[in-house]
Amino acid sequence: TSFRFTCDMAGSESEGNRIMFLNKKREREKESLEIQKQKLIDEANRTKIGTIEQKFAKTQDIIDKEVRNATVGLLTLDEIKRRKLEIEEKHASAENDNKLKKKKESKALSFDIDDEVQDDDVEEPKVKIKKNPHVDTSFLPDRDREASEASEREALKREWLEEQERIKNMEIDVTYSYWDGAGHRRTTRAKKGITIEKFLALVQREFHELRGVSVENLMFIKEDVIIPHHYSFYDLIVTKARGKSGPLFHFDVHDDVRTVNDATVEKEESHAAKVVERKWYERNKHIFPASRWEVYDPTVKREKYTIHDSTTTQ
């Protein structure tokens, strides 16, 4: 038993020595590789730095030589600086040209099969994918079509507004009577876009009796309806508004004539408007013709016209 134990001890010690020897060998090899690697890196750095320094020194020597040749004779300090700057700029420009030339030559010698190398300053044209003209795509969103339609709508809107503004600036003759129980007829020319309030201000100038009355205390009556001040003649014309006894969109006067064979057929007769003071209306609103007057309501449809006690169909 003691002999077997002694043999085991000897075998273990021999194995341990072999492992230690191998580990030391690996460490020496690793150190050797690191030393060689560092030598290669140092050599590459020295070569690179030396090349750049040599190139710079060579270029600088050429510049200095040209400066010495160009500054021979009596020159001021400013002239020497100027000539030195010109020579340096010339060499810098030549260096840039050489770089560009080498870059183009390297691109020309490229053997890339896919020709992926492109000039950085040249942009690739964008290819627009077109739709099949034989397929109905009107239901699909289309940015170009929507922009075109929006532009067309805007142009039509602008054209319509310009046309309406032209209509508002057209002048019409408004026939009316200052009514104080009797008629005092006048005709005043005004633009279609003018409001009733502004028209009543024009009426004040025509009658001495109204110059002391404010516009708010005057009323404008047409076809037996009281038209509020904020409406304009243009509003009544474009909507073809109608009153109790005739159209509100005619402001000149037509005779109240019916056809001979059928007295119930309504024609486009228009009666003179009336301008009255509000206090006169309050005193006489129970007496004809003020008893027939009512405030204009654009929502009311006039199916029939009534003149005095007679009725005509619209």
Side-chain angles (χ1 to χ4, degrees):
T1 304
S2 60
F3 175 76
R4 186 181 300 171
F5 178 75
T6 302
C7 291
D8 291 340
M9 289 288 292
S12 299
E13 184 177 355
S14 175
E15 184 67 23
N17 291 334
R18 191 174 69 84
I19 292 172
M20 290 177 61
F21 175 77
L22 292 175
N23 287 336
K24 288 181 179 180
K25 185 178 179 181
R26 290 193 188 97
E27 289 178 359
R28 287 195 298 271
E29 291 177 351
K30 184 177 180 181
E31 290 176 359
S32 176
L33 289 174
E34 289 293 334
I35 292 170
Q36 292 178 10
K37 180 179 178 182
Q38 189 63 38
K39 285 182 179 179
L40 291 173
I41 293 173
D42 293 341
E43 183 67 25
N45 289 336
R46 282 196 300 272
T47 303
K48 184 176 181 181
I49 294 171
T51 303
I52 295 173
E53 289 177 349
Q54 292 171 4
K55 185 176 181 181
F56 178 77
K58 184 178 178 181
T59 304
Q60 189 63 37
D61 290 341
I62 295 172
I63 293 174
D64 292 340
K65 184 176 180 181
E66 290 188 14
V67 170
R68 285 195 299 270
N69 294 333
T71 55
V72 175
L74 296 175
L75 298 173
T76 64
L77 181 60
D78 291 337
E79 289 177 338
I80 294 173
K81 289 181 179 180
R82 179 176 57 79
R83 294 189 181 184
K84 181 179 180 181
L85 182 62
E86 290 175 354
I87 293 170
E88 289 176 348
E89 289 178 350
K90 181 182 72 173
H91 279 274
S93 177
E95 185 67 23
N96 290 333
D97 292 341
N98 290 333
K99 288 181 180 179
L100 291 174
K101 184 177 180 181
K102 289 180 180 179
K103 185 177 180 181
K104 290 180 179 179
E105 288 176 354
S106 65
K107 290 181 180 294
L109 294 174
S110 174
F111 293 97
D112 191 350
I113 296 176
D114 295 332
D115 195 18
E116 294 178 353
V117 179
Q118 298 289 339
D119 192 345
D120 296 337
D121 298 332
V122 179
E123 296 183 359
E124 294 184 8
K126 296 181 180 179
V127 179
K128 183 177 179 180
I129 300 175
K130 298 183 179 180
K131 299 176 182 177
N132 188 341
H134 303 293
V135 177
D136 181 17
T137 59
S138 59
F139 61 92
L140 294 175
D142 188 317
R143 184 178 301 175
D144 293 339
R145 185 181 67 236
E146 291 172 358
S148 176
E149 291 176 354
S151 176
E152 185 177 354
R153 285 195 299 271
E154 189 64 27
L156 290 174
K157 178 182 177 181
R158 185 167 54 253
E159 182 180 347
W160 184 84
L161 290 174
E162 290 174 355
E163 177 64 18
Q164 300 312 303
E165 197 63 30
R166 186 188 66 80
I167 294 174
K168 288 180 181 180
N169 289 324
M170 292 175 61
E171 292 186 341
I172 55 173
D173 290 327
V174 181
T175 302
Y176 64 95
S177 292
Y178 165 52
W179 190 266
D180 56 357
H184 308 279
R185 182 169 290 192
R186 294 282 193 283
T187 298
T188 298
R189 179 168 285 269
K191 292 183 178 181
K192 291 183 178 181
I194 196 173
T195 61
I196 299 300
E197 181 180 14
K198 292 182 178 179
F199 177 76
L200 291 174
L202 296 177
V203 172
Q204 279 184 312
R205 303 173 188 174
E206 298 290 332
F207 296 94
H208 179 74
E209 300 90 329
L210 298 179
R211 293 180 182 177
V213 182
S214 65
V215 174
E216 290 78 8
N217 290 323
L218 293 178
M219 300 171 62
F220 185 85
I221 295 88
K222 181 82 166 72
E223 307 301 343
D224 292 329
V225 294
I226 303 168
I227 302 177
H229 287 191
H230 65 274
Y231 282 99
S232 67
F233 297 128
Y234 168 82
D235 297 331
L236 302 174
I237 292 170
V238 296
T239 58
K240 292 190 178 297
R242 296 182 179 273
K244 295 177 67 176
S245 56
L248 297 177
F249 50 87
H250 289 314
F251 296 95
D252 51 352
V253 175
H254 300 281
D255 292 333
D256 187 10
V257 178
R258 301 292 187 272
T259 56
V260 176
N261 295 329
D262 190 352
T264 64
V265 176
E266 188 269 333
K267 298 175 71 67
E268 295 296 329
E269 294 87 3
S270 180
H271 310 93
K274 294 181 177 63
V275 176
V276 302
E277 291 186 54
R278 191 175 299 276
K279 64 180 181 180
W280 182 92
Y281 171 72
E282 293 296 334
R283 288 198 307 265
N284 298 279
K285 61 183 178 181
H286 60 288
I287 304 172
F288 183 86
S291 59
R292 283 178 48 84
W293 301 345
E294 60 184 60
V295 178
Y296 170 67
D297 183 356
T299 62
V300 176
K301 298 264 186 202
R302 304 288 180 182
E303 299 296 338
K304 295 181 179 180
Y305 287 159
T306 57
I307 302 174
H308 298 290
D309 295 329
S310 63
T311 300
T312 61
T313 304
Q314 183 178 343

